[in-house]
Every structure is written in C-alpha cells, then in structure tokens.
Amino acid sequence: LGHAVSKNMLRWPHPRKRLRSEEAPLAGSEKAAFGDVHIFLVERKMGRSRRSFLTQLARSKGFVVEDVLSDAVTHVVSEDGEASSLWAWLKDHSRSDLSRMHVLDISWFTDSMKEKRPVAVETKHLIQDVLPEVSTPTSAAAVSQYACQRRTTTENHNKNLTDAFEVLAENYEFNGMEGQCLAFRRAASVLKSLSWEVRSSERVHELPCLGETMEELILQYGRSFEVNKILSDERYQTLKLFTSVFGVGLKTAEKWYRRGLRTFPDVLEEPSIHLNRMQQSGFLHYGDISRAVSKAEAQALGSIIDEAVHAITPDGTLTLTGGFRRGKDFGHDVDFIVTTPERGQEERLLTSIIQHLKQQGILLFSDYQSSSFDMSKLPSHRFEAMDHFAKCFLILRLEGREVEGGLCRAEGDSRDWRAVRVDLVSPPPDRFAFTLLGWTGSRFERDLRRFARLERRMLLDNHALFDKTKKEFLAATTEKDIFAHLGLEYIEPWQRNA
Ligand code: UTP
Ligand code: MN
C-alpha cells in the first residue's frame, strides 16, 4: 500500500511542494473550459486516492481543479457531512477569504460532471457554517479586552479550555507569579464570553488577552501535558486541599505544606498547630460547606434571614447578591446585602440579625467585622480585596423541610439538615448601589475598576465612584447609574459571569 500511495503522490504532487501560477493552473495539457470556476477538493473524509481520481476526472472534462486552497478557488467541494468540523478545518487551513467561496457538497460536483459543465449553485448544494463568521453576534475582532464591555452568561462554550486555563492560573497563583496568573484569568474570561467554540488559530489571533502560549494551548485543545502535570503535582494538590478549608488562606496552606503536612489528619494530629476559630469550624463542617449550595437552598436561607430582618425592623431590606444573583445554579456560599434606611443603623441591624439567628438555634459559626468605613478617607488609590462595611461570615444550620425539593446531600448522608456558608454585608443606604455592584461579582468587577481608571480617569470600588478630572464623587442609587457615569452600556447581572 505504501508503494501505491507514493506512486500516486508522484503523479499528483503534494500541494505544498507544487509550484503553480495563476496563468498556468493546469496539470494536464487540455485547455480549461469554464475558466471562472476554480474547484478545490477537500481531501479530508474523501481520501487521497479518491481525490486524485476525481481531480483527473474533472480535468479531463475541462474543469479547473486547484491543488491548493488559495484565493483563486471559487468552489470548495467536500464529502464531509459534518458542517462544523469541515468549517473548522477550512478555517485552520486557509488564510484566504472563505466568504468569497462556495463551500459545496459533493452533489454539486457529481451534478456538474454529469452535465459536463459547472451547474448553478443551489441551496441544496451548500454546506453552511454553523457559526458564520460574519453573522456571529460577537466576531473575534469586536471582543473588548474589558470584561465590563462583554456579556458573559453562565453558558460557557469553551469549558474545556477555561477549566484548563484556570488550573494554570491557580498554579501560577500558588507559585506567587501574579502577572502570569492574571494573564491566564483574563484569557479564560475572554473565552467564557464567546458565543462560539474556539478552534482555529485565525480566530484566536484576533482575540484580546490571548498570547502565543495560550494560542498554542488552545490548538492543543487545552488538555495539555502541562495541565495534567499540574493536576498530579503534590504541591498543587496539597495547596488546593488546604485552601478548600474555610479560614485557610494560601499563606497558611504553604506553611503547612513546608512542614511536610499533606492531609487533613496530618494537620489535625500535629500538636504544634493551633487552629483559629474559623478554621476549627471549617474542619468541623468541611463535608457540608465544601459541597455546592443549590438555588433552592439559597432561596430557603433568603426567607429565613428575611424573616430575621423584619423581626428587627419593618423597613429593613434583604438583597441576594454574589453568584446566585448572576443566575448561577450552584454556589460555594450565599451572599446577601442588608440595609436599613436609617443612617448609622447598619451595624446594629447586622448584630441584631446574628442575635436572632442564634436564638433560633441555627447559628453554627459567626465572624462579625465591624465597619471601618470612613467617607473622608476616600477615594482609595490602592485596590483592597475587602471593603470597609460591617459584615459577617456565617455558617448556618439549614433544615431539609425549609428547602423546596429537599437538601443537597452527600451520598449515604441521612441527616435532615446541612451546614451552609452565608455572608452578610451592611453598607450605609447611600452606598448600596456600589456594594451591590461589587458583591455581585464576579471578577467582572475587577475589569470595571480597571476600565474606570484607565479609560475614564475615575476610581471605582465597593464604596464610591470618584471622578479624578472633576475631583468629585459621583452619586448613584442604582447599578445603572454607575454604568451610565462610566459611559458603559448596562450589563445585566446574569451577563457578568466573567
Ligand atoms: P464570592 O466569593 O461569594 O463569589 O464573592 P461568588 O461569585 O458568589 O461565587 P460562589 O458561587 O459563592 O462560589 C461574591 C462577591 O463579593 C465580593 C467578591 O469580590 C465577589 O465578587 N466581595 C467579597 C467583596 O466585594 N468584598 C468583600 O469583602 C468580600
Ligand atoms: Mn458567593
């Protein structure tokens, strides 16, 4: 067989090795009829020998058949029934403008052979791109480098890739390489916003925040050797495990790792380690709080806390924020903002709620942080991960009967309750919109700040928006006001899953 193939190749040289010019496109000696029609036969699925047979056949009938997919081609013919894979291949293998070519099913070719002339192209012959480049709502070139100018729903067409990129980003974070970490997070964020699956290098080139390394990874389909290496790396696995405990940050996890600890029993049996209150609760409720919280569970908690708020003050309000506000079906915790219209009463409201939950017997853990918010210290020029409002990090006991459709339980767990992480934050009433925008997340927020600073000379955080040119704070009662101040189109919460 090998011999036959190589003989075949001698007769029909490999496209790349063949020299040709516009004036002399023919292999045979016959003068080409129908000079305007330049056919290219896609070898994929067709096979090399059938392709050369069909090429010979067509040329003998006076058709022009191109060996290379160049700008000269007008009719691309394929036997690949799967439009998406064919188009992906075409985009990968051509630098030419595909929109100027007919991409046709073999039926057009056989019809033309029968008729001994190129038949008119009809819809039945066309193999259409599932995501035509021109009609894609977000063409690669139109994608903004800022997440706050992209709409990112929970539907991710590039999950394989973004999962891989997030592993790489996390590993850079674990190794203190912040620049690289951010670069991969940004790239993942761009990929999440796309309404198509990235496959060809042509499209990757045009995307913002995607460098050469990333393009290489994409073309390898993300599941690269590098990712698997990280996933099986002991240090990565251990840091991932330790930081999954409530109250354990990267610094503590590294300290434990350096001391040779690798498992939870290693940590818990080490006499010289003193866990703080948060970490103790983290280990105690690990099984429950490391398991995802469902939307129904979040709703049940909303009703419980809402009841507490109204038992304290009739005009207090509770607002769901965080991932659930962005339309996620599951979260690692539930985030709420509590407000009262009476100025200066935010702290009292929060401590009263904690008291109320305690009296109900459902408070398993509470870390209350009083407010350090001071308008006279604003605007802040440096970025702080935490805001200064009164807040609390809680673990609550949620009963199964409170949840529509029941609890998210681990297999074999027969308890009728579970522990859930809940965060409450209580800003002054005039700071509500900024808090809501900040706590709704996701990392979208980070780009909003970056956009404000670099494109508008404004400083944005969870507390306020400051215009450096006018040297004044800009008021806002809703998120829409903030987007309007920044001259941005409003992005709905469920479009902020960046
Ligand atoms: P989360 O960590 O709860 O993220 O923080 P999430 O998007 O809800 O994701 P899951 O579903 O729980 O895993 C919610 C938002 O609150 C902000 C974070 O930056 C994040 O965007 N936040 C948190 C603050 O702005 N300030 C804080 O002090 C704490
Ligand atoms: Mn959350």
Side-chain angles (χ1 to χ4, degrees), residues 41-52:
L41 295 166
V42 179
E43 191 173 292
R44 244 171 68 97
K45 294 281 156 80
M46 187 180 283
R48 191 184 293 267
S49 55
R50 179 159 160 79
R51 183 186 185 219
S52 47

Side-chain angles (χ1 to χ4, degrees), residues 187-253:
S189 178
V190 167
L191 294 173
K192 281 184 191 174
S193 75
L194 303 179
S195 57
W196 70 83
E197 191 184 333
V198 168
R199 278 192 271 220
S200 74
S201 64
E202 221 166 303
R203 287 187 146 194
V204 181
H205 274 312
E206 293 172 28
L207 292 166
C209 311
L210 284 140
E212 247 167 57
T213 336
M214 291 152 191
E215 183 179 309
E216 223 168 87
L217 285 169
I218 287 172
L219 299 177
Q220 288 168 22
Y221 234 73
R223 277 288 122 196
S224 65
F225 174 64
E226 207 181 331
V227 175
N228 290 329
K229 209 169 67 188
I230 294 169
L231 287 173
S232 58
D233 175 62
E234 192 189 36
R235 186 181 130 87
Y236 174 84
Q237 285 177 353
T238 312
L239 295 180
K240 185 103 181 122
L241 179 72
F242 289 167
T243 54
S244 74
V245 180
F246 177 49
V248 180
L250 188 51
K251 281 210 181 88
T252 308

Side-chain angles (χ1 to χ4, degrees), residues 321-324 326 328 330-335 385-387 391 393 423 438-443 445 462:
T321 178
F324 287 109
R326 300 197 309 271
K328 276 175 59 175
F330 293 95
H332 97 282
D333 67 356
V334 196
D335 309 281
M386 288 265 210
D387 57 54
K391 63 175 72 70
F393 307 111
D423 288 345
W439 279 73
T440 299
S442 58
R443 291 201 165 91
E445 182 54 23
N462 284 11

Side-chain angles (χ1 to χ4, degrees), residues 63-81:
F63 286 84
V64 180
V65 183
E66 300 282 348
D67 288 318
V68 187
L69 183 53
S70 68
D71 281 330
V73 172
T74 56
H75 293 58
V76 175
V77 174
S78 168
E79 278 192 315
D80 190 348

Side-chain angles (χ1 to χ4, degrees), residues 207-469:
L207 292 166
C209 311
L210 284 140
E212 247 167 57
T213 336
M214 291 152 191
E215 183 179 309
E216 223 168 87
L217 285 169
I218 287 172
L219 299 177
Q220 288 168 22
Y221 234 73
R223 277 288 122 196
S224 65
F225 174 64
E226 207 181 331
V227 175
N228 290 329
K229 209 169 67 188
I230 294 169
L231 287 173
S232 58
D233 175 62
E234 192 189 36
R235 186 181 130 87
Y236 174 84
Q237 285 177 353
T238 312
L239 295 180
K240 185 103 181 122
L241 179 72
F242 289 167
T243 54
S244 74
V245 180
F246 177 49
V248 180
L250 188 51
K251 281 210 181 88
T252 308
E254 273 182 319
K255 202 170 70 193
W256 292 350
Y257 179 79
R258 277 198 304 271
R259 292 172 63 168
L261 311 176
R262 298 291 181 266
T263 64
F264 289 165
D266 284 353
V267 173
L268 297 170
E269 285 159 19
E270 173 58 49
S272 64
I273 286 184
H274 295 285
L275 300 175
N276 65 29
R277 227 169 41 84
M278 202 181 244
Q279 293 160 349
Q280 282 173 24
S281 297
F283 276 113
L284 187 61
H285 301 291
Y286 185 79
D288 276 352
I289 62 183
S290 62
R291 212 170 47 250
V293 182
S294 72
K295 216 181 244 180
E297 289 170 336
Q299 265 156 11
L301 285 157
S303 315
I304 293 165
I305 299 164
D306 198 49
E307 209 173 279
V309 171
H310 286 101
I312 296 153
T313 163
D315 31 65
T317 57
L318 182 76
T319 309
L320 177 70
T321 178
F324 287 109
R325 183 165 181 253
R326 300 197 309 271
K328 276 175 59 175
D329 290 324
F330 293 95
H332 97 282
D333 67 356
V334 196
D335 309 281
F336 296 101
I337 304 176
V338 289
T339 44
T340 158
E342 303 160 74
R343 281 202 71 97
Q345 290 301 301
E346 329 59 78
E347 288 205 272
R348 199 189 61 82
L349 175 60
L350 206 50
T351 50
S352 305
I353 293 170
I354 297 170
Q355 205 52 41
H356 189 94
L357 298 171
K358 195 174 183 174
Q359 276 158 12
Q360 283 186 295
I362 62 169
L363 188 72
L364 299 175
F365 172 84
S366 162
D367 178 39
Y368 172 71
Q369 301 194 347
S370 60
S371 168
S372 55
F373 175 64
D374 182 352
M375 199 67 196
S376 70
K377 292 219 176 90
L378 293 181
S380 167
H381 287 262
R382 65 195 164 91
F383 169 73
E384 290 165 293
M386 288 265 210
D387 57 54
H388 292 269
F389 303 126
K391 63 175 72 70
C392 59
F393 307 111
L394 310 176
I395 299 177
L396 298 183
R397 180 188 163 107
L398 180 63
E399 302 291 337
R401 62 185 142 77
E402 312 262 9
V403 184
E404 208 186 303
L407 290 169
C408 265
R409 265 201 304 237
E411 222 172 292
D413 184 355
S414 59
R415 291 172 313 154
D416 56 355
W417 67 277
R418 68 167 286 186
V420 188
R421 276 268 303 107
V422 173
D423 288 345
L424 303 180
V425 59
S426 188
D430 62 331
R431 303 292 111 202
F432 176 77
F434 300 102
T435 314
L436 183 61
L437 185 59
W439 279 73
T440 299
S442 58
R443 291 201 165 91
F444 175 90
E445 182 54 23
R446 195 170 176 154
D447 262 17
L448 204 53
R449 270 192 269 276
R450 194 163 66 97
F451 177 87
R453 184 166 42 87
L454 300 177
E455 306 292 333
R456 299 289 185 258
R457 278 184 44 82
M458 290 184 189
L459 295 170
L460 173 72
D461 60 18
N462 284 11
H463 314 99
L465 177 63
F466 183 77
D467 186 327
K468 290 204 281 183
T469 314

Side-chain angles (χ1 to χ4, degrees), residues 47-164:
R48 191 184 293 267
S49 55
R50 179 159 160 79
R51 183 186 185 219
S52 47
F53 166 76
L54 294 177
T55 304
Q56 263 179 299
L57 177 75
R59 283 176 177 161
S60 72
K61 291 181 192 285
F63 286 84
V64 180
V65 183
E66 300 282 348
D67 288 318
V68 187
L69 183 53
S70 68
D71 281 330
V73 172
T74 56
H75 293 58
V76 175
V77 174
S78 168
E79 278 192 315
D80 190 348
E82 228 204 288
S84 60
S85 67
L86 170 68
W87 274 92
W89 184 90
L90 288 173
K91 284 167 193 166
D92 271 349
H93 290 79
S94 163
R95 288 267 153 213
S96 319
D97 186 359
L98 292 168
S99 67
R100 292 205 321 242
M101 303 173 190
H102 296 294
V103 178
L104 305 164
D105 182 70
I106 190 75
S107 63
W108 174 84
F109 184 89
T110 45
D111 286 354
S112 300
M113 292 306 115
K114 256 185 259 158
E115 298 276 334
K116 299 192 181 66
R117 59 171 180 90
V119 297
V121 171
E122 294 171 44
T123 3
K124 64 170 186 191
H125 299 129
L126 291 174
I127 303 178
Q128 262 154 351
D129 190 358
V130 247
L131 291 166
E133 200 124 19
V134 274
S135 63
T136 301
T138 34
S139 89
V143 176
S144 168
Q145 62 144 316
Y146 295 107
C148 57
Q149 290 185 308
R150 304 191 292 257
R151 294 172 199 271
T152 315
T153 63
T154 51
E155 193 184 351
N156 180 358
H157 297 274
N158 294 284
K159 191 164 177 350
N160 276 346
L161 282 176
T162 57
D163 283 353

